Every structure is written in C-alpha cells, then in structure tokens.
Amino acid sequence: MLSGLPAVLINAALISALYALIAIGFTMIFGVGGVLNLAHGALLMAGAYVYLLLARDTISVPVFESMTLHPLLAFPLAVVIVAVLSYLLYAVIVQFVEDNPVVTFLATIVVALAATEVVLHYAGSATHTYTLIPDGMLPSTIDIGPVDGILTVDVVGFVVSWISIGLLWVYVTKTDSGRAIRATSMTERGAQLTGVNVHAVRARTWLVAGALAGIGGVFLGASTSATPNMWLHPLSLAFIIVVIGGIGSIKGSIVAAYLIGFLQTGVGEYLGQNFRGILSLVLLVIVLFVLPQGLFGREFDHE
Amino acid sequence: MADDPLLSVEAIEVFYGKTEALSDVSLSVDEGEIVGVIGPNGAGKTTLLDAISGFKSFEGSITFDGTDLSKIGPEQAVREGLIYCTEKRDLFPYFSVHENLLMGAQARDDRDAVRDDLEEVYELFPRLDERREQEAETMSGGEQQMLAIGRALMGDPKLLMLDEPTLGLAPVIVDDISEAIERLRDEGLTILLAEQNSTFALRHADRLSLLENGEVELQGSASEFRDNEYVRDAYIGIH
C-alpha cells in the first residue's frame, strides 16, 4: 500500500502536474482580459464527461449516440471538444460582458452551475469511473523505486501534463502568435501599437486554456471519478494556486501548483484527509499578507 | 495620386466628453518629409496623434495612403504602415529588448526582411545591441525611448509618429535620438514628430504646425518658423 515519505513525494509530484495544467489556463485567461473564469472548473468536468460519452456507453444523451471509441481516439477528441466549448463560452457570452467584472463573474458562475445541472440531468448524481489506459497496453499500477501500486493513469497524466506545459512554453516564447498572448497580458495598448488584434488574442487564449482544462479534466476523472461536483475542488485549488503564484504568471502557477500539491498530499497523509484544504488556505492568507503580488506577481497595466 | 500627401488630416474635431480638445485641425505629411507639431503642454498634440492612430474617435477626415482612417482600428492602421511611438512608450515591461523588437514585427510576414530590420535597429542603437537580453522595465528612460523607436521601426513604417521622444531625457541621450532621426531621414522615412521641445522639432522638421488650445495657430516651413517673432519669443527665445 501507499505509505511513507517516498509515496507522498511521488503522489504529490504526479498530482501537482495536473494542478499546474489547470491553474495555467485559469491564469492566462485572467492575464489577457482580466476575466476571472469561474466556469474553468466546469470545463474540467466537461472533459471527463465528454470522454465518458465518447469512450463508454454508461451515459446517454438524446440525439448523440453513445460511442465506445478507443481511448487513444476518444482522449484527443474530448480535448478538442472542450477547447471548442471554452472558445464558445468566450465568443457567445464573455466577450460581450468582459468589461464589467461583476457581470462576468456572475455569468461564468451561472455557466458552471448550469453545466452541473446538465450533467445531473443526463448522467445522474452517480459517480462514474473509467479507465483511460487501454486494456492490456500498460498494467493498471506500477512500482517506482520503493513505492508500489502507483496508478499508471496518474503517471501518464503527469507525463502528458508536462508535455502540454512544454508545448505551451514553446508556443508563448517562440512564436509570434503565442508571444502576443503574453504581450497582451502586459500591456494591451502596447500590443495594439504593434498590430496585435486583442480580441483574437483573447479568443485564442480561451481555446488554449480550454484544451489544457480538457486534458486536466479527463485525467482527473480517470484518476478518481467523474461526478457533477468534481469541478468545485479543482476550481478553488486553481484560485489558490494562481494567487500564490502571482496572478497572470505561468511560471508562478507551475511553482505554486507544486507547492500546493505537496502541501495537500503531505497534510492528507500525516494529519488526515480532513485537513487537506485548510493548510492551503492558511498558506494563501500568509502569501496575501507577506507577498500580496504572489511569488512571481507583477503589476498589470490594465487601463 | 502621386501628388497626394501620405497623410492628410482635414478639419478634424476631437472631444473629451463635452470639452473640445481639437478644433478644425488640418495638416498633411508628404512622403519622405519630417513634419513637426509643437505647442505647449495640453495643446492637443497627443490627442492629434491618438486620433490619427485610431485610439481616439474624431469628426472630420483623416486619410493615410489612400485609406480612410475613420473606418479602421489601431491594429489595422499598424498593418497599413502607420506606426505610433507613444509618449508613454507602452513597451512590454517583462519582455527582453529582443522580444520587444520581435513583437514590433509580429504583424509582418516577410521573415527575411524582419531579420534585416532587426540588424538595422541594433546598428542604429548600439545600446540596444548591448542589452538584447535585458528586460525593458529595468532600462533607463533613454534606453527605453530607443527601444520604443526601435520597436516602431520593426513594424516597417510608411509613416512613423513620434510623441515627445525627448521628454525627460538627458542632453547626451537627446543627441543620440537626434542622430537616429537624421539617419532615418537620410533613408527616406516619413516622420510626424510631436514635441514640446521646439528647438528639437525645429532642428529636424521640414515643415511645422504650432498647436495652441486645440487649434492650429501657425503652419509653415522650418525657416518661416525660425524667423517668426511670436515663435521665437514664446517657444525658442530662451534656448
């Protein structure tokens, strides 16, 4: 069984990668438009349920015939669908209200709650579990050093998360299109002065953040389970991580995700599962007092 | 068509709420020319450039290279070759010098030409070349001004608009900027220069306009401005 320090460290390292993936999308959206997307968690949930819909016939919705696609096909498809849903959320709702933070706040929370109702209606309140690793391809658990019984899906999730983060890093540092996203988060006027179409940048950012949330959601659901409330905890974590890391900073999100991931796993192991969330909140309060900007925080030039 | 000015501002009016910031302002810039706009603080120089670049709405007509600027936004104007280097500079504070320059060229497709222009900018401002990896935020005001001009040049301007490029800079740095402007003139670049520093504007401009309280008080060649008693007394006298 899992116990002892090595197990805690390994599990923390694995789950933190997913946290980072989720937090990065959240922070990027805040960075370019100043939008606090409370539906970000709902996009995670969409990832898990869209995957279920594509790969398992345990739930059914009208019109759409439930399929049993091969996981290697269902996974990328689910990610693309969530990315598109995220884009639509921006294009259909958010872009018309983003200048008003309160309305945006309310609109995104309404979307999250509506998504919960949709899931409850079609999939019920039951817990759905699914396997992401095709049968026979890999064993369901593996051993790393002294630690036995690590879920293979967690390891794969870790690898896929880091590949995604790596690709994102290349995109935002090496390409004009990605660099424009970071540029816009620094100064919108500066971006316009260099010919950046700020609306296109925002739309692109929602698409990218949606893809990251989709990946995170599918793995999160596979690691534990898919439930209609699965978005709440990751959303609050993303919130804490982003504030600790420094709002808008991708690097900060990664560092803070690991901080929170290790803290939560360690606390869960040594103090009991009931204390998991508390210490993260304590850390959040400390950071807000000592480093209100966060670890890698910057003043933003939102005019 | 060949005789049409590159930029033509015709009788524009700009309001901030109910306050009229510009009234009946007209000016034109021909290709290859440096045109200066001088006037005291608050006269409307920045408002004029904001209107031309698409950041401020206006009444009247502004045409650039055959395009009606009232119909397009700031990003589109950049793609047309109208590049604006603002008084605040609006650099990307956490990007390196190099990244700021690359951003300046992000709307362009011809990668080879961009590479050539990068080398030209580094040659024009050797200080930038020495600081390629330094974050813009950590540089001195003069270096930031050079970077702002460099970034604007990376957009391959048909018309470069400079707003107060010498504001707050030490005289040696102003000399560097001066030298750069003269080199750009020799290369045939068209520049619209808004300056409170009248001496600086008179040194470079072929023609000038004097703005006071949102209205054009005087327009003419550099020599006409130098010989004008009012301009000499009010704007150059002590220099």
Short mmCIF file of all heavy atoms in Angstrom, two decimals, chain A residues 263-303:
data_model
loop_
_atom_site.label_atom_id
_atom_site.label_comp_id
_atom_site.label_asym_id
_atom_site.label_seq_id
_atom_site.Cartn_x
_atom_site.Cartn_y
_atom_site.Cartn_z
N LEU A 263 1.89 20.17 -0.35
CA LEU A 263 1.29 20.51 0.94
C LEU A 263 0.04 19.65 1.18
O LEU A 263 -0.11 19.04 2.24
CB LEU A 263 0.91 22.00 0.94
CG LEU A 263 0.47 22.58 2.27
CD1 LEU A 263 1.63 22.62 3.24
CD2 LEU A 263 -0.09 23.99 2.07
N GLN A 264 -0.82 19.58 0.17
CA GLN A 264 -2.07 18.84 0.34
C GLN A 264 -1.82 17.36 0.53
O GLN A 264 -2.44 16.72 1.39
CB GLN A 264 -2.95 19.04 -0.90
CG GLN A 264 -3.51 20.44 -0.99
CD GLN A 264 -4.96 20.39 -1.41
OE1 GLN A 264 -5.39 19.52 -2.12
NE2 GLN A 264 -5.71 21.36 -0.94
N THR A 265 -0.94 16.80 -0.29
CA THR A 265 -0.68 15.36 -0.17
C THR A 265 -0.02 15.05 1.17
O THR A 265 -0.39 14.07 1.84
CB THR A 265 0.22 14.89 -1.33
OG1 THR A 265 -0.29 15.44 -2.54
CG2 THR A 265 0.23 13.38 -1.43
N GLY A 266 0.93 15.89 1.58
CA GLY A 266 1.61 15.68 2.85
C GLY A 266 0.65 15.78 4.02
O GLY A 266 0.61 14.92 4.90
N VAL A 267 -0.16 16.82 4.01
CA VAL A 267 -1.12 17.03 5.09
C VAL A 267 -2.12 15.88 5.13
O VAL A 267 -2.44 15.35 6.19
CB VAL A 267 -1.85 18.39 4.92
CG1 VAL A 267 -3.04 18.46 5.86
CG2 VAL A 267 -0.89 19.53 5.19
N GLY A 268 -2.59 15.48 3.95
CA GLY A 268 -3.55 14.37 3.88
C GLY A 268 -2.96 13.10 4.48
O GLY A 268 -3.66 12.34 5.17
N GLU A 269 -1.69 12.87 4.24
CA GLU A 269 -1.05 11.66 4.72
C GLU A 269 -0.78 11.70 6.23
O GLU A 269 -1.02 10.74 6.95
CB GLU A 269 0.28 11.46 3.96
CG GLU A 269 1.09 10.26 4.39
CD GLU A 269 0.47 8.94 3.92
OE1 GLU A 269 -0.34 8.98 2.98
OE2 GLU A 269 0.79 7.90 4.54
N TYR A 270 -0.27 12.84 6.70
CA TYR A 270 0.23 12.88 8.08
C TYR A 270 -0.76 13.48 9.07
O TYR A 270 -0.69 13.20 10.26
CB TYR A 270 1.56 13.64 8.14
CG TYR A 270 2.65 12.94 7.37
CD1 TYR A 270 3.20 13.52 6.23
CD2 TYR A 270 3.11 11.69 7.78
CE1 TYR A 270 4.19 12.87 5.51
CE2 TYR A 270 4.09 11.03 7.06
CZ TYR A 270 4.63 11.63 5.94
OH TYR A 270 5.59 10.97 5.22
N LEU A 271 -1.64 14.34 8.63
CA LEU A 271 -2.59 14.95 9.57
C LEU A 271 -4.01 14.43 9.37
O LEU A 271 -4.89 14.65 10.19
CB LEU A 271 -2.61 16.48 9.42
CG LEU A 271 -1.32 17.22 9.79
CD1 LEU A 271 -1.52 18.72 9.60
CD2 LEU A 271 -0.91 16.92 11.21
N GLY A 272 -4.24 13.78 8.26
CA GLY A 272 -5.58 13.27 7.99
C GLY A 272 -6.23 14.03 6.84
O GLY A 272 -5.97 15.23 6.65
N GLN A 273 -7.07 13.34 6.09
CA GLN A 273 -7.67 13.92 4.89
C GLN A 273 -8.50 15.18 5.17
O GLN A 273 -8.63 16.05 4.32
CB GLN A 273 -8.55 12.88 4.19
CG GLN A 273 -7.78 11.70 3.60
CD GLN A 273 -6.83 12.15 2.51
OE1 GLN A 273 -7.11 13.09 1.79
NE2 GLN A 273 -5.68 11.49 2.41
N ASN A 274 -9.06 15.25 6.40
CA ASN A 274 -9.91 16.40 6.71
C ASN A 274 -9.15 17.72 6.71
O ASN A 274 -9.74 18.78 6.59
CB ASN A 274 -10.58 16.22 8.07
CG ASN A 274 -11.59 15.09 8.02
OD1 ASN A 274 -12.09 14.76 6.95
ND2 ASN A 274 -11.87 14.50 9.17
N PHE A 275 -7.83 17.64 6.87
CA PHE A 275 -7.04 18.87 6.97
C PHE A 275 -6.46 19.30 5.61
O PHE A 275 -5.79 20.32 5.54
CB PHE A 275 -5.89 18.68 7.96
CG PHE A 275 -6.36 18.52 9.38
CD1 PHE A 275 -6.54 17.26 9.93
CD2 PHE A 275 -6.64 19.64 10.15
CE1 PHE A 275 -6.97 17.11 11.24
CE2 PHE A 275 -7.08 19.49 11.45
CZ PHE A 275 -7.26 18.23 12.00
N ARG A 276 -6.73 18.52 4.58
CA ARG A 276 -6.11 18.79 3.27
C ARG A 276 -6.26 20.24 2.83
O ARG A 276 -5.30 20.88 2.43
CB ARG A 276 -6.74 17.90 2.21
CG ARG A 276 -6.13 16.54 2.08
CD ARG A 276 -6.88 15.74 1.02
NE ARG A 276 -6.49 16.18 -0.31
CZ ARG A 276 -5.61 15.51 -1.03
NH1 ARG A 276 -5.07 14.40 -0.59
NH2 ARG A 276 -5.27 15.93 -2.23
N GLY A 277 -7.50 20.72 2.90
CA GLY A 277 -7.76 22.04 2.35
C GLY A 277 -7.32 23.18 3.24
O GLY A 277 -6.92 24.25 2.76
N ILE A 278 -7.37 22.94 4.55
CA ILE A 278 -7.15 24.04 5.50
C ILE A 278 -5.77 24.68 5.34
O ILE A 278 -5.65 25.90 5.24
CB ILE A 278 -7.30 23.53 6.95
CG1 ILE A 278 -8.73 23.05 7.19
CG2 ILE A 278 -6.94 24.61 7.96
CD1 ILE A 278 -9.75 24.16 7.15
N LEU A 279 -4.73 23.84 5.28
CA LEU A 279 -3.39 24.42 5.26
C LEU A 279 -3.14 25.21 3.98
O LEU A 279 -2.41 26.20 3.98
CB LEU A 279 -2.33 23.32 5.41
CG LEU A 279 -1.95 22.98 6.86
CD1 LEU A 279 -0.62 22.26 6.90
CD2 LEU A 279 -1.89 24.23 7.73
N SER A 280 -3.77 24.81 2.89
CA SER A 280 -3.63 25.58 1.65
C SER A 280 -4.20 26.98 1.84
O SER A 280 -3.63 27.97 1.38
CB SER A 280 -4.38 24.90 0.51
OG SER A 280 -3.90 23.60 0.33
N LEU A 281 -5.32 27.04 2.54
CA LEU A 281 -5.93 28.35 2.79
C LEU A 281 -5.05 29.18 3.73
O LEU A 281 -4.90 30.38 3.54
CB LEU A 281 -7.33 28.18 3.39
CG LEU A 281 -8.36 27.65 2.40
CD1 LEU A 281 -9.67 27.35 3.10
CD2 LEU A 281 -8.59 28.65 1.28
N VAL A 282 -4.45 28.51 4.72
CA VAL A 282 -3.54 29.22 5.62
C VAL A 282 -2.36 29.79 4.82
O VAL A 282 -1.99 30.96 4.96
CB VAL A 282 -3.03 28.28 6.74
CG1 VAL A 282 -1.92 28.95 7.56
CG2 VAL A 282 -4.18 27.87 7.64
N LEU A 283 -1.82 28.95 3.93
CA LEU A 283 -0.71 29.40 3.09
C LEU A 283 -1.14 30.59 2.23
O LEU A 283 -0.41 31.58 2.08
CB LEU A 283 -0.23 28.25 2.20
CG LEU A 283 0.97 28.57 1.30
CD1 LEU A 283 2.21 28.81 2.14
CD2 LEU A 283 1.23 27.44 0.32
N LEU A 284 -2.37 30.50 1.71
CA LEU A 284 -2.90 31.59 0.89
C LEU A 284 -2.94 32.89 1.67
O LEU A 284 -2.51 33.95 1.19
CB LEU A 284 -4.30 31.23 0.40
CG LEU A 284 -5.06 32.31 -0.38
CD1 LEU A 284 -4.36 32.59 -1.70
CD2 LEU A 284 -6.50 31.90 -0.63
N VAL A 285 -3.41 32.82 2.90
CA VAL A 285 -3.50 34.02 3.74
C VAL A 285 -2.11 34.58 4.03
O VAL A 285 -1.87 35.78 3.92
CB VAL A 285 -4.25 33.71 5.06
CG1 VAL A 285 -4.16 34.88 6.01
CG2 VAL A 285 -5.71 33.38 4.76
N ILE A 286 -1.18 33.68 4.33
CA ILE A 286 0.20 34.14 4.61
C ILE A 286 0.77 34.86 3.38
O ILE A 286 1.33 35.95 3.49
CB ILE A 286 1.10 32.95 5.00
CG1 ILE A 286 0.63 32.38 6.34
CG2 ILE A 286 2.56 33.37 5.09
CD1 ILE A 286 1.34 31.09 6.74
N VAL A 287 0.59 34.23 2.22
CA VAL A 287 1.12 34.85 1.00
C VAL A 287 0.48 36.22 0.77
O VAL A 287 1.16 37.19 0.42
CB VAL A 287 0.92 33.93 -0.22
CG1 VAL A 287 1.17 34.68 -1.52
CG2 VAL A 287 1.84 32.73 -0.14
N LEU A 288 -0.82 36.29 1.00
CA LEU A 288 -1.50 37.57 0.78
C LEU A 288 -0.96 38.66 1.71
O LEU A 288 -0.89 39.83 1.33
CB LEU A 288 -3.02 37.42 0.97
CG LEU A 288 -3.75 36.78 -0.20
CD1 LEU A 288 -5.21 36.60 0.11
CD2 LEU A 288 -3.58 37.61 -1.47
N PHE A 289 -0.57 38.26 2.92
CA PHE A 289 -0.01 39.25 3.85
C PHE A 289 1.42 39.62 3.50
O PHE A 289 1.80 40.78 3.48
CB PHE A 289 -0.07 38.72 5.29
CG PHE A 289 -1.37 39.04 5.96
CD1 PHE A 289 -2.25 38.03 6.34
CD2 PHE A 289 -1.73 40.36 6.21
CE1 PHE A 289 -3.45 38.32 6.94
CE2 PHE A 289 -2.94 40.66 6.81
CZ PHE A 289 -3.81 39.64 7.18
N VAL A 290 2.23 38.58 3.24
CA VAL A 290 3.68 38.82 3.06
C VAL A 290 4.01 39.26 1.64
O VAL A 290 4.82 40.15 1.42
CB VAL A 290 4.47 37.55 3.44
CG1 VAL A 290 5.95 37.79 3.31
CG2 VAL A 290 4.12 37.12 4.85
N LEU A 291 3.38 38.60 0.66
CA LEU A 291 3.70 38.87 -0.75
C LEU A 291 2.40 39.05 -1.53
O LEU A 291 1.98 38.17 -2.26
CB LEU A 291 4.41 37.65 -1.35
CG LEU A 291 5.91 37.51 -1.28
CD1 LEU A 291 6.30 36.17 -1.88
CD2 LEU A 291 6.58 38.63 -2.05
N PRO A 292 1.73 40.19 -1.33
CA PRO A 292 0.41 40.34 -1.97
C PRO A 292 0.45 40.15 -3.49
O PRO A 292 -0.57 39.84 -4.10
CB PRO A 292 -0.02 41.76 -1.60
CG PRO A 292 1.04 42.32 -0.74
CD PRO A 292 2.16 41.37 -0.60
N GLN A 293 1.62 40.32 -4.09
CA GLN A 293 1.74 40.15 -5.54
C GLN A 293 1.85 38.69 -5.92
O GLN A 293 1.81 38.34 -7.09
CB GLN A 293 3.01 40.85 -6.04
CG GLN A 293 2.99 42.34 -5.88
CD GLN A 293 2.28 42.98 -7.03
OE1 GLN A 293 2.66 42.79 -8.18
NE2 GLN A 293 1.25 43.73 -6.75
N GLY A 294 2.06 37.80 -4.94
CA GLY A 294 2.33 36.41 -5.25
C GLY A 294 3.80 36.20 -5.53
O GLY A 294 4.58 37.16 -5.58
N LEU A 295 4.20 34.94 -5.70
CA LEU A 295 5.62 34.62 -5.86
C LEU A 295 6.21 35.28 -7.10
O LEU A 295 7.31 35.82 -7.08
CB LEU A 295 5.80 33.10 -5.95
CG LEU A 295 5.35 32.30 -4.72
CD1 LEU A 295 5.49 30.81 -5.00
CD2 LEU A 295 6.17 32.69 -3.51
N PHE A 296 5.49 35.21 -8.20
CA PHE A 296 6.01 35.79 -9.45
C PHE A 296 5.07 36.88 -9.95
O PHE A 296 4.91 37.07 -11.14
CB PHE A 296 6.16 34.69 -10.52
CG PHE A 296 7.21 33.69 -10.20
CD1 PHE A 296 6.92 32.59 -9.42
CD2 PHE A 296 8.51 33.85 -10.67
CE1 PHE A 296 7.90 31.65 -9.11
CE2 PHE A 296 9.49 32.92 -10.36
CZ PHE A 296 9.18 31.82 -9.59
N GLY A 297 4.46 37.56 -9.01
CA GLY A 297 3.42 38.51 -9.39
C GLY A 297 3.97 39.78 -10.01
O GLY A 297 5.11 40.17 -9.77
N ARG A 298 3.15 40.39 -10.82
CA ARG A 298 3.54 41.64 -11.47
C ARG A 298 2.35 42.57 -11.44
O ARG A 298 1.21 42.14 -11.45
CB ARG A 298 3.91 41.37 -12.93
CG ARG A 298 5.09 40.49 -13.05
CD ARG A 298 5.11 39.86 -14.42
NE ARG A 298 6.43 39.34 -14.69
CZ ARG A 298 6.75 38.68 -15.76
NH1 ARG A 298 5.84 38.48 -16.69
NH2 ARG A 298 7.96 38.23 -15.95
N GLU A 299 2.66 43.83 -11.47
CA GLU A 299 1.58 44.81 -11.63
C GLU A 299 1.13 44.75 -13.08
O GLU A 299 1.95 44.77 -13.98
CB GLU A 299 2.11 46.23 -11.34
CG GLU A 299 2.51 46.46 -9.92
CD GLU A 299 1.35 46.89 -9.06
OE1 GLU A 299 0.21 46.88 -9.57
OE2 GLU A 299 1.58 47.21 -7.89
N PHE A 300 -0.16 44.70 -13.28
CA PHE A 300 -0.62 44.70 -14.67
C PHE A 300 -1.07 46.08 -15.10
O PHE A 300 -1.59 46.85 -14.31
CB PHE A 300 -1.74 43.68 -14.86
CG PHE A 300 -1.18 42.33 -15.05
CD1 PHE A 300 -0.95 41.52 -13.96
CD2 PHE A 300 -0.81 41.91 -16.30
CE1 PHE A 300 -0.38 40.27 -14.13
CE2 PHE A 300 -0.25 40.67 -16.47
CZ PHE A 300 -0.03 39.86 -15.38
N ASP A 301 -0.86 46.34 -16.37
CA ASP A 301 -1.21 47.65 -16.91
C ASP A 301 -2.61 47.62 -17.48
O ASP A 301 -2.81 47.92 -18.65
CB ASP A 301 -0.23 48.04 -18.03
CG ASP A 301 1.17 48.22 -17.50
OD1 ASP A 301 1.29 48.38 -16.28
OD2 ASP A 301 2.11 48.21 -18.29
N HIS A 302 -3.58 47.19 -16.69
CA HIS A 302 -4.94 47.20 -17.24
C HIS A 302 -5.50 48.60 -17.18
O HIS A 302 -5.79 49.12 -16.12
CB HIS A 302 -5.83 46.23 -16.46
CG HIS A 302 -5.64 44.82 -16.89
ND1 HIS A 302 -5.88 44.40 -18.17
CD2 HIS A 302 -5.21 43.75 -16.21
CE1 HIS A 302 -5.61 43.12 -18.25
NE2 HIS A 302 -5.19 42.70 -17.09
N GLU A 303 -5.62 49.21 -18.35
CA GLU A 303 -6.13 50.59 -18.37
C GLU A 303 -7.64 50.58 -18.38
O GLU A 303 -8.25 49.71 -18.94
CB GLU A 303 -5.62 51.34 -19.59
CG GLU A 303 -4.20 51.81 -19.42
CD GLU A 303 -3.32 51.31 -20.54
OE1 GLU A 303 -3.22 50.09 -20.69
OE2 GLU A 303 -2.74 52.12 -21.24
#
